[in-house]
Amino acid sequence: MIAVNAEVLQLLLLLSAALFSLGVYGVLTRKNIIGLLIGLELMANAVNINLVAFARHQGGTAGQVFTLFTIALTVAEVAVGLALVILLHRSRRSTETDAAAQLHG
Amino acid sequence: MIAMIALSLIALCVVSAGLFAVRSTNLVHSVLWLAVSLAGTSALYLMVGASFLSAIQIILYTGGVITLMLFGVMLTDRNETTKIGNPSERKRLGAVSALAVFALIASAVSSMSFTGGGSTIVHTKAIGQALLTEHLLAFEALSILLLAAMLAAIVVARRRDP
Amino acid sequence: MSHQTLALFVLLSPLVAAVVLFIVAPLRVRGPVSAGITIASTAISLGASVMLAMARMFGQSAPNVDIQAAWLPGGGKVLSTVGVYVDPVAAPMMVVVALVALCVQVYSLGYLGHEPSRDRGRYFAYHALFAFSMLGLVMAPNLLQLFLCWELVGLASYLLIGYYWTKPSAGQAALKAFWVTKFADMGLMLGLMVLFVKTGGFDWTVPPGQVLMTADAEVIAGLLFLAVVGKSAQFPMHIWLPDAMEGPTPVSALLHAATMVAAGVYLIVRAYPIFSLAPTVLTFMVYLGAFTALFAAIVAVFQDDIKKVLAFSTCSQLGYMVAALGTGSMVSGYFHLTTHAFFKALLFLTAGSLIHAVHSNSLHDMGGLWKKMKPTGVLLIIGSLALAGFPMTSGFFSKDLILEELLHAGHIVPLIAAIAAAGLTAFYMTRVVMLSLFGAPSEAAEHAHESPAVMLAPMALLGALALVGGLLHGDFAKMAGAEAAFHITPVGIIATATGLTGIAAGLWRFSPGKRAAVGSQWVSAPMRFVTWLTGNAPVDRAFALFYRRVMLTAAAGVAWFDRYIIDALINLSGWAVLKGAERFRRLQTGRPADYIYAVIAGLIALTAMGVM
Amino acid sequence: MSAFDALNGVEILAVDGIVAVGALGLLLADVAMPAGNKRILGYCTLLLLALGFTATFTLDLTGTALGGAYVGDGFAIWCKRIFLAAGFFGVLGGMDETARIGPRRQGEYYQLLMMSLLGMTLLAGARDLILLMVSFELMSLPLYAMAAWGGIGTYPKRKGPLPSMELPAKTKWHRPAEAGLKLYLVGAVSSVVALYGISLLFGIGGSTRFDVLARTMNAGPVMSLAVAMIVGGFAFKIGAAPFHMWVPDTYQGASTPFVAFLSVAPKAAGFAALVQLLLGPLAGHTDTWMPLVLALIIVSLLVGNLMAVPQQNVKRMLGFSGVAQMGFGLMALLAAGTVAHTSGQKSEGLATLLFFLAAYMVANMGVFFVIEAVAASGRTEDETADEKDSDDTLAVFRGLHARSPGLALAGLLFVLSLGGIPFAIGFWAKVWVLLGLWTAGYGWLVVLAAALSAAGLFYYLQIARSMYMTPEGDLPKVTARMELGLAILLLALLTMAVGLFPGPVMEAARVAVGLG
């Protein structure tokens, strides 16, 4: 175990920033919706790392509880997202975002 | 010092797994790389003393999300979905945006000055207690949220009414 | 009946009619029933208004009627009230509105007699709504109620102009009129806001104990004037008025001659305590009004559509009113508003009668109607003379007063413009009369026949008022507490002479002698005079040269400018919005990936804004 | 704190309790009852929502619970009323459509709606970051599914991937699925962004409680970053540009009665969340967030008003116009923030925001219901919601005044209210927003907003013009079904009554935020 001092905190925050940016990249460049959801998961993971880092730095319970909640939120969100993917696949036989581009203008 | 190096290595592992997850051309690989990244994060939690969260991370993310995603891949047309890529016309713009986001966050975060750093261990019991006292309402709301998510997923993924 | 009750009757009877007609569909879909309800309600309004006005104008100075109900409570105090307020300023306008509305409604019975019953029912329901909102505007105890009714008037006019909804151009014109005026109304709304912020209320006058700084007054008056420019069709927002002629002609008589467009002028009259604190705005009003008067008069000369002539003429006359109010003379502007309401409504109704006869708006299709439609013709000539300011008609008195005020205030350039416009007015009205009544008989005119009595009666009433309405000028002056008895002054003589010259020029230019001889005995007497005047060749040639080379060219340029530049600019802005939007539409690609891009880009922008 | 302490003051959660218990009860009842007449569940939902709405008036819901994580104040209660009323009308007006799309499964729609409403009511009182985010998600998740409601596709006949995305005209295409997916994708990204911002806020404040955060947070680049992310994330929910891209597509694609609900209740909730955060712990940092809100306002006003002009589909048009309307809502927030900044007091701005949200709810739901009534009359029994593209183009309103005078009149009223013409409720909302903004010192913004809303009239009037100034041709007569008709009637009466006498309602809003 390692105590989260200012240095470690800084490292973790930068890690989280990097993961978040990777998630942004994934979300922006993936055509496949499941691929896109992977990017989303990376972004959510970055949030969790942030929270854990702060929680361990400050020492209270709130941050860890918060992380618990965000993990659950993300899982729930992904579950609904995958259901929508299946729905899309059923009506268009495709899981690419561009399959849902009939409404525009 | 050694701990710091280990931490950095895990961090590197998490980031590179993340990179592969968003760059891989095979969707199944991509999902698995995500699993690696999430598992690495779990190890990270363990290192900084959040053992309960580490376990939760493994169970919920690696056990839940990854399985869900693999189900998603399998349930949809495999021939079409497993071969994916980052279309070239979006790659550059995506990379620029991601870099911009990183630069903005990193510059803000590195300007932050923190002092000290608690090393007190928070036991799982304390977390449970907080969950059922201060955060009771959020906890109850979360239980309904999970129910809602389940219901929503069923409603969406089910076929039409006969 | 007490005055309070009378005042309530004025406002409530059209309201009841409108509500009943809008809600009870079976009444609305039956044209005669709907018409009966509306006309009866307007007649009640008119009766009550006349009784109220009599008490004020000829009797002893009756106390003001002031019934107000707290309406917008806020923060423990009453923000504003609604109610009816009749004072010497409101009383004449009430009569004008109710009278013209009644005339127009009765006239419509004949004019729209051939329309389907259901459409007529709708038409009269709109009329009831219009009468209510216009009277509510006139009788408003404060600026807020005036604003609300102002908007309602706009809505009612939108519905009325768009009455012929099977014509696509009517729908477009209605939309354009509503849009342009609504854009100008923004000024009224902002003006109200500033007024409220500065004085804490919406009163006509600055509450006692409050001081309104000149700079604030300038801002408020300027914003209010923006609304006036839109509603009263002053340059360059006059462009909606000619388009609005797509509506039925009686509607034009009501809205675009007598009442709605005059609402702007009435707003200035009402809010005069505020305007009088804003000298810059007042001066601007003089110049803009005079310019509009001249500009619109020039454009009117070149219209072949009789309604368009009258529409531009209305712009021009409203310009007179605005200029007059700018000089600080409330009486002359307001008086002109009243007389103009009579003769312009008359002109529109006669025009409608002619259009009804030949089923065309073009002056050239109307030639030679004098033989077929003598009563209408006489009324048209009466209206034209009044508009031209022929001595002893109503227009003569009111126009003269305005010119005098311009001279008194020392605005020489506007005065010259106004006199020139008076000459042009006489000229183009003579043109209308000559072309439509005495021109070469057209094919359509062969089958023309006189309008029914139900149309002629209201016209005759307005004609009588157009002739003798000028005699009321003393009472108007008394009303404002001023002594503006009519004098014969050099300016008056010059203006009258200009007007007569305009008539003469019109007679000369469009005399039947220049075409196939179809003049009757009545017209040939003055014609002989004109022929005698211009009989010798050099004068004739010089006059012709001047007319053709100078006047015609310049005026054609002005008309071209109006049509292709001003109108086009306004249309262009709408077009640009549409095109721009079409371009922007492509951003909404429909591809979810691009939407996520938008989110991230927005995020980066916001973050960059925040962090930097 | 013991578990019993945590329950102190829990009675202020009465309304939320009614909704939560209602949702679970509906779930159980749905399972227990035979598939025959599930419509009864809809009536039960109405009853529950009416009960909750009444409870906001009869019970005293002010106070704090759970040690300050949840607060009942006038603002929260007023917001709850808006949510419950929107839910009530949404259920009432959508009853037929819900039953038509899935006769045997309509119960699930009501359960999801109740769960979403629970998220909203909790959100209104949340004074804790965790509770805020959980209730925010609880509100959002069911909406994704409800947007896709009815878009349950069948497999196309052909095998293999589609050669191109251009589907043949005859093929069914599933607008609700697309609507739900777009809402979800943009929503999920936005909410994870907001979460990131919130995690940073937690980092610099050291607590999840608003009252603590208000004391401990210091301004700095991290706070700016966090605030930007939070504002951006919540701007998605209210549909402010440039986070609005889902709005027109989802409005067009999803079933109309649901859109009526979606276009008002979650937006009000998004505003509640923004107010909670920006005028709560961030009230002392207006310098940080006001420029962002200002930017959102300007972009929203421009994009919304401009893009609505060329639209031919009424629902799309209303989507864009909604973006512009949200600009107005944000203006009220801006005014409130300015006053809070300069004088540290509650301001008219908040009361105006409440009034604006209520007014927007009434008029906007009304318009959508009128659209639904017209579209429903042209549908046959076995069609799904997504089969006709022409269901809600401007052309279907042709000559509505002749086909159904009452419906046309109601439609006109709603449109005029949205356009801000006097004697309709929306006019007062606009006037008060602009007045508040003027007093807050944003004269130039008032002028811009007034000019753009005058331009906005253009497209609102297109609807009026289509209803009143075009011949009806051979289009059929329209009669709204009973529930839908009742919803329209009630909303029209509200629009007119409050439009004529806005004083008492505004006064109530002022009292709710602690003024007067």
Side-chain angles (χ1 to χ4, degrees), chain D residues 188-270:
Chain D
V189 173
S190 299
S191 76
V192 91
V193 165
L195 260 178
Y196 198 89
I198 290 216
S199 76
L200 289 176
L201 216 54
F202 166 74
I204 52 176
S207 171
T208 57
R209 284 288 151 83
F210 286 2
D211 45 354
V212 181
L213 285 175
R215 291 196 304 271
T216 54
M217 283 190 305
N218 294 316
V222 179
M223 171 183 268
S224 308
L225 179 69
V227 169
M229 288 179 139
I230 292 168
V231 169
F234 287 166
F236 146 77
K237 189 91 291 181
I238 62 173
F243 304 93
H244 71 287
M245 304 289 267
W246 61 277
V247 172
D249 292 7
T250 303
Y251 280 21
Q252 188 186 351
S255 85
T256 311
F258 168 68
V259 174
F261 176 73
L262 177 76
S263 64
V264 292
K267 294 197 172 184

Side-chain angles (χ1 to χ4, degrees), chain C residues 71 165 178 588 590 595 607, chain D residues 182 225 245 249 461 469 500:
Chain C
W71 183 41
W165 40 259
F178 195 57
Q588 190 83 23
Y595 294 4
T607 323
Chain D
K182 280 179 170 165
L225 179 69
M245 304 289 267
D249 292 7
L461 283 176
M469 292 182 185
L500 287 175

